Amino acid sequence: MSDVRVNADQQEEGEQQQNLVKAPVKRSLGLLITTYGCLFVGSIASSLLAKYYFVHGGSSRWVSTWVQSAGFPLLLGLIYFPRFVFKTTKRRPFTRFTHRHLLFSVVIGLILGFNNFLFSWGTSYLPVSTSSLLLSTQLIFTLILSVIIVKQKVTFSNLNCVVLLTLSSVLLALGSSQDKPAGLTKTKYFIGFLSTIGAGLLFALYLPVTERVYRSVYCYAMVMEMQLVMEFSATVFATIGMAFDGGFKDMVKEANQVFTKGPTVYWTVAILANVVTWQLCFAATSGMVYLTSGITGGICMTALLAMNVIGGVVVYGDAFGGVKIVSTVLCIWGFSSYVYGIYVKMKKDEEKEEGHTGMKTVEDGGELELEMGKVKDDVAAADER
């Protein structure tokens, strides 16, 4: 009986391990496309809604910081639904989630919270189009830090993209003096300018650091688990700031007396919609880093900033002169060339290795690491081109 029970346990464990390890290429590619779709929607919507809060009377930067991470409970659905509702996996939530993962998640979350605060300062003073293009300066630092932290190879494909996107930001900076909103002092504009640059630099550190940490993560669900802890830590940071600054009282006052669109729009659009879209943006960013790499995630985020520029012009009437047009074209050109390089490399690899499953498992310090098959391998191969 004991032998039979042992065999049954081993069989169940084997099935669970098989369920954890096998990730078909089509499913991985579909997950990548879905993740980028969420990033597309989350990035554009969150940037526009963040500005919407300030445009219509909101003034608390701590409230703006808080809504960027307060939606972390939404991640519980991504963590628990696959096992208990959809029955698509046998993995229990937080399996193999070690104290090391917890520590890194908390530290990164606190850094993310401060990054959110800097972003809120910049957004409160600068037009959406200006702040979006300024944030793209993080890309050159992402590449440098990726080389140092994760040994990212510098190739023509990623270097060309980084140069074009960075040049886009330089052009904007040279013409930024004409983009200062009416009534805004030079001091406040300078503070907003530096805060946005600082937010970009911290985000540049965030991407390769999370990529390094994700090397000990073996499934997408575990990425969401770490993201939950990160966002919780960032929310604690923002909540403490709000408590000392009276932010919670300001929310009620703003909703009833200050916000020009009324309390209903304040709570549903300025607060709730902000919470949802920011969580969508950050969760998708983590997913992109896990499925590809930190530099690829940074490039995708930076390319979306061009759409934020257009969104700022359409929604808020931001000025869109010659400098911004050239900057946007360079931004789109850089991202398109990078994506095309990946596509060409993937097609060549498919011709050479037909039927390749793309699965790879690695033992690293006792932790099972599962890279998402051909999706991640093809992106890495394109970088090495």
Side-chain angles (χ1 to χ4, degrees), residues 194-354:
L194 289 183
S195 297
T196 304
I197 293 293
L201 294 179
L202 274 181
F203 196 74
L205 175 64
Y206 164 81
L207 291 173
V209 167
T210 52
E211 180 186 354
R212 182 65 179 268
V213 173
Y214 288 162
R215 290 181 176 180
S216 62
V217 171
Y218 69 97
C219 66
Y220 197 88
M222 195 170 179
V223 174
M224 294 299 104
E225 291 163 2
M226 293 190 67
Q227 184 67 21
L228 176 70
V229 178
M230 291 179 194
E231 296 296 333
F232 175 78
S233 300
T235 303
V236 170
F237 174 87
T239 301
I240 293 174
M242 286 184 67
F244 279 97
D245 195 49
F248 291 104
K249 293 181 179 179
D250 288 343
M251 293 177 71
V252 177
K253 181 180 179 180
E254 283 180 346
N256 297 324
Q257 302 177 19
V258 179
F259 200 70
T260 59
K261 295 295 183 177
T264 301
V265 175
Y266 179 86
W267 293 112
T268 57
V269 178
I271 301 299
L272 181 59
N274 249 316
V275 167
V276 174
T277 54
W278 273 116
Q279 201 55 231
L280 188 65
C281 178
F282 283 127
T285 300
S286 295
M288 284 295 297
V289 173
Y290 172 69
L291 294 174
T292 57
S293 64
I295 185 63
T296 301
I299 287 173
C300 290
M301 283 288 293
T302 303
L304 285 177
L305 293 176
M307 300 303 297
N308 288 340
V309 173
I310 297 174
V313 173
V314 173
V315 177
Y316 299 115
D318 292 350
F320 195 64
V323 172
K324 284 187 179 179
I325 292 175
V326 174
S327 296
T328 303
V329 170
L330 288 175
C331 190
I332 296 174
W333 178 16
F335 178 71
S336 299
S337 65
Y338 184 77
V339 172
Y340 181 74
I342 293 177
Y343 171 77
V344 171
K345 184 61 179 177
M346 289 178 68
K347 295 296 290 185
K348 289 182 180 179
D349 290 343
E350 286 178 0
E351 293 174 359
K352 292 180 181 179
E353 302 181 20
E354 186 177 359

Side-chain angles (χ1 to χ4, degrees), residues 17-61:
Q17 188 70 9
Q18 184 181 22
N19 185 59
L20 292 175
V21 172
K22 287 189 176 180
V25 175
K26 290 184 179 179
R27 183 183 300 174
S28 299
L29 183 59
L31 183 60
L32 179 64
I33 294 173
T34 302
T35 299
Y36 189 73
C38 293
L39 180 61
F40 181 88
V41 174
S43 176
I44 296 175
S46 59
S47 295
L48 294 177
L49 287 172
K51 187 64 178 179
Y52 183 87
Y53 168 77
F54 289 108
V55 166
H56 293 289
S59 59
S60 175
R61 293 163 189 84

Side-chain angles (χ1 to χ4, degrees), residues 63-300:
V63 171
S64 179
T65 302
W66 184 80
V67 298
Q68 292 180 52
S69 57
F72 68 90
L74 297 174
L75 295 176
L76 293 173
L78 297 176
I79 295 172
Y80 286 95
F81 280 16
R83 174 176 170 81
F84 296 105
V85 178
F86 302 121
K87 309 294 184 182
T88 56
T89 181
K90 294 181 180 180
R91 176 186 178 273
R92 293 182 179 86
F94 293 95
T95 299
R96 295 180 182 271
F97 196 92
T98 65
H99 290 91
R100 179 173 174 268
H101 292 128
L102 178 62
L103 177 61
F104 277 118
S105 298
V106 170
V107 172
I108 295 174
L110 293 175
I111 295 175
L112 190 62
F114 184 64
N115 174 81
N116 294 343
F117 180 68
L118 290 178
F119 177 82
S120 296
W121 269 92
T123 302
S124 66
Y125 291 139
L126 301 179
V128 173
S129 53
T130 302
S131 61
S132 295
L133 285 173
L134 282 176
L135 286 172
S136 64
T137 57
Q138 57 88 14
L139 196 55
I140 185 65
F141 297 101
T142 298
L143 179 60
I144 295 173
L145 292 173
S146 293
V147 171
I148 297 173
I149 297 174
V150 296
K151 311 302 180 185
Q152 171 73 46
K153 292 184 178 180
V154 179
T155 65
F156 175 78
S157 179
N158 56 36
L159 184 60
N160 174 65
C161 181
V162 168
V163 169
L164 289 174
L165 294 177
T166 303
L167 180 60
S168 167
S169 299
V170 171
L171 288 175
L172 176 72
L174 293 176
S176 61
S177 60
Q178 301 177 356
D179 196 34
K180 185 169 69 67
L184 185 66
T185 65
K186 291 184 178 180
T187 301
K188 290 184 177 180
Y189 188 81
F190 184 68
I191 292 174
F193 204 93
L194 289 183
S195 297
T196 304
I197 293 293
L201 294 179
L202 274 181
F203 196 74
L205 175 64
Y206 164 81
L207 291 173
V209 167
T210 52
E211 180 186 354
R212 182 65 179 268
V213 173
Y214 288 162
R215 290 181 176 180
S216 62
V217 171
Y218 69 97
C219 66
Y220 197 88
M222 195 170 179
V223 174
M224 294 299 104
E225 291 163 2
M226 293 190 67
Q227 184 67 21
L228 176 70
V229 178
M230 291 179 194
E231 296 296 333
F232 175 78
S233 300
T235 303
V236 170
F237 174 87
T239 301
I240 293 174
M242 286 184 67
F244 279 97
D245 195 49
F248 291 104
K249 293 181 179 179
D250 288 343
M251 293 177 71
V252 177
K253 181 180 179 180
E254 283 180 346
N256 297 324
Q257 302 177 19
V258 179
F259 200 70
T260 59
K261 295 295 183 177
T264 301
V265 175
Y266 179 86
W267 293 112
T268 57
V269 178
I271 301 299
L272 181 59
N274 249 316
V275 167
V276 174
T277 54
W278 273 116
Q279 201 55 231
L280 188 65
C281 178
F282 283 127
T285 300
S286 295
M288 284 295 297
V289 173
Y290 172 69
L291 294 174
T292 57
S293 64
I295 185 63
T296 301
I299 287 173
C300 290

